[in-house]
C-alpha cells in the first residue's frame, strides 16, 4: 500500500523536490549575503561608532525582501501545498470514480486513507520544515537587529509555526475534497478557509494565548513623538484621544488604552483637540500633551515568551489537523460510497 501511495504521489514529490532545491539554493545564498553585509556594517560600527544608525540602515536594506519572503512562507507555501497536494488527494479519485476499484481490494478504506495521508503529511513536514529552517537561518541577523519577533509576518514565517500551518492546509484540503468530492471546489474552499484562518489567528487568537503583562506608561512628549514615529499620528479612527504606535522595549504591545489623566480618567476630547491645533508640527502637539501628565495602560507580551507562543500556536494547528484527519477517516468509513 505504501508503494502504491508513493507511485500515485511521485509526480507531486518530484516537482516539490525540484522546487525545494531551487528555494534552498536561493535562501542559502541570501543568508550568506546577509551575513557578509552584517559583518561589513559591524566593521563600520567599530570605526565610526554610530552603531544604532548603521544597524537601522542594515535592517532597511533587507526589510522589503524579507517581508516578501515572509509572506511567501506564511501564506503562499502552505496554500500551494493545500491546493495541489491536499485537495486533489482523495477528491480526484472520487471525481474520477477510481475509488471503487481501490476500495474493493483487501486493504480497508481506513488504512488506504491513513497511508495516503501519511505519505502527503511526511512530504509536507519535510518541505515546509526545510524552507522554514532556511529562512529562519537566513533572516536571523536582520531579525536580531529589528527585535520584532512577534510581528505577524515574522512570527508566522519562523521556526515551527509555518510547519504547523502547512500540515493544517494540506489536511484541510484532503478533508474538503472528501466532503465536496470535486477537486476545483475543494481547492477553492481550501484557499478561502486558509486565508480566513491566517487573518483571524494573529489578530484575534494569538494575543490571548497567554495572559499579557500590564503597566502604566507615562506619555511624555518623548514617548508621544516615539509613537508618532512608528505610526505617524495621533487619534484613532473614531477620533479618540489616543496615541498610535505605543511601544515597550523588547515586547509585543497587544493593546493600550486611550490617553488618561493622572486620576485615571480619559483625556477630555476638547483638550486633546486643542493640543492637536497647537502649531503646525507633530512635535508641537506632542509637547502640549506631554505637559498634561498623561499615561496609557499597556498590555504586552515580552519577547522572552516567543517560544512559548510558537509551541502553543503550533500545538493548536497540529491538533486541528489531527481533528480534521479524524473527520476524514470517519467520513470515508461511514458516508462515502
Amino acid at each position: 500500500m505504501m508503494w502504491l501511495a508513493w507511485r500515485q504521489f511521485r509526480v507531486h514529490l518530484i516537482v516539490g523536490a525540484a522546487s525545494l532545491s531551487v528555494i534552498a539554493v536561493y535562501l542559502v545564498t541570501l543568508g550568506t549575503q546577509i551575513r557578509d553585509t552584517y559583518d561589513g556594517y559591524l566593521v563600520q560600527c567599530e570605526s565610526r561608532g554610530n552603531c544604532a544608525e548603521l544597524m537601522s540602515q542594515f535592517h532597511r536594506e533587507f526589510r522589503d525582501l524579507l517581508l516578501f519572503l515572509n509572506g511567501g512562507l506564511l501564506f503562499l507555501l502552505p496554500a500551494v501545498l493545500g491546493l495541489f497536494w491536499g485537495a486533489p488527494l482523495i477528491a480526484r479519485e472520487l471525481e474520477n470514480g477510481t475509488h471503487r476499484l481501490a476500495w474493493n481490494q483487501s486493504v480497508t478504506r481506513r488504512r488506504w486513507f491513513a497511508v495516503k495521508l501519511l505519505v502527503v503529511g511526511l512530504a509536507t513536514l519535510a518541505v515546509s520544515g526545510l524552507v522554514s529552517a532556511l529562512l529562519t537561518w537566513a533572516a536571523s541577523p536582520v531579525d536580531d537587529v529589528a527585535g520584532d519577533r512577534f510581528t505577524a509576518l515574522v512570527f508566522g514565517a519562523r521556526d515551527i509555526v509555518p510547519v504547523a500551518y502547512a500540515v493544517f492546509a494540506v489536511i484541510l484540503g484532503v478533508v474538503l475534497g472528501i466532503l465536496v468530492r470535486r477537486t476545483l471546489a475543494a481547492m477553492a474552499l481550501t484557499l478561502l478557509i486558509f486565508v480566513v484562518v491566517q487573518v483571524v489567528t494573529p489578530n484575534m487568537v494569538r494575543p490571548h494565548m497567554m495572559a499579557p503583562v500590564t503597566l502604566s506608561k507615562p506619555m511624555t512628549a518623548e514617548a508621544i513623538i516615539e509613537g508618532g514615529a512608528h505610526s505617524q499620528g495621533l487619534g484613532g479612527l473614531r477620533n479618540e484621544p489616543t496615541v498610535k504606535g505605543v511601544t515597550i522595549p523588547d515586547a509585543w504591545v497587544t493593546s493600550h488604552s486611550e490617553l488618561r489623566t493622572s486620576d485615571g480618567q480619559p483625556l477630555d476630547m476638547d483638550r486633546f483637540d486643542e493640543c492637536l491645533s497647537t502649531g503646525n508640527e507633530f512635535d508641537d502637539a506632542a509637547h502640549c500633551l506631554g505637559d498634561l501628565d498623561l499615561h496609557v495602560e499597556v498590555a504586552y507580551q515580552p519577547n522572552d515568551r516567543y517560544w512559548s507562543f510558537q509551541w502553543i500556536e503550533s500545538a493548536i494547528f497540529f491538533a486541528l489537523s489531527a481533528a480534521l484527519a479524524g473527520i476524514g477517516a470517519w467520513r470515508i468509513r461511514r458516508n462515502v460510497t
Side-chain angles (χ1 to χ4, degrees), residues 169-234:
V170 168
I171 297 182
L172 175 66
V174 172
V175 174
L176 288 174
I178 295 171
L179 295 176
V180 302
R181 304 174 68 128
R182 293 291 183 271
T183 302
L184 290 178
M187 293 171 74
L189 283 173
T190 299
L191 180 61
L192 176 63
I193 294 175
F194 182 73
V195 169
V196 170
V197 169
Q198 289 296 75
V199 171
V200 169
T201 299
N203 293 294
M204 301 181 66
V205 178
R206 188 179 301 154
H208 306 290
M209 288 180 182
M210 295 181 69
V213 180
T214 59
L215 62 76
S216 178
K217 179 173 180 175
M219 282 288 99
T220 62
E222 291 74 17
I224 294 172
I225 291 171
E226 180 187 3
H230 284 83
S231 63
Q232 301 299 321
L234 290 164

Side-chain angles (χ1 to χ4, degrees), residues 7 61 68 70 78 100 150-151 162 167 172 178 183 188 215 232 251 257-258 314 334:
R7 289 277 297 176
E61 188 169 336
F68 174 77
N70 293 342
R100 297 185 181 93
F150 277 108
T151 300
V167 171
L172 175 66
I178 295 171
T183 302
L215 62 76
Q232 301 299 321
S257 69
E258 71 280 11
S314 298
R334 297 289 182 181

Side-chain angles (χ1 to χ4, degrees), residues 5 15 47 95 295 327:
V15 173
S47 62
E95 201 170 24
H295 68 277
I327 292 172

Side-chain angles (χ1 to χ4, degrees), residues 147-150 249-252 301-307:
D148 55 353
R149 306 180 80 188
F150 277 108
D250 299 320
W252 168 38
Q301 299 289 350
N303 279 351
D304 59 15
R305 293 184 177 182
Y306 170 81
W307 277 106

Side-chain angles (χ1 to χ4, degrees), residues 29-52:
T29 304
L30 176 64
T32 303
Q33 178 189 353
I34 288 175
R35 280 159 174 75
D36 290 342
T37 305
Y38 180 68
D39 291 340
Y41 276 104
L42 285 181
V43 171
Q44 294 183 56
C45 176
E46 292 174 359
S47 62
R48 294 167 51 184
N50 189 11
C51 292

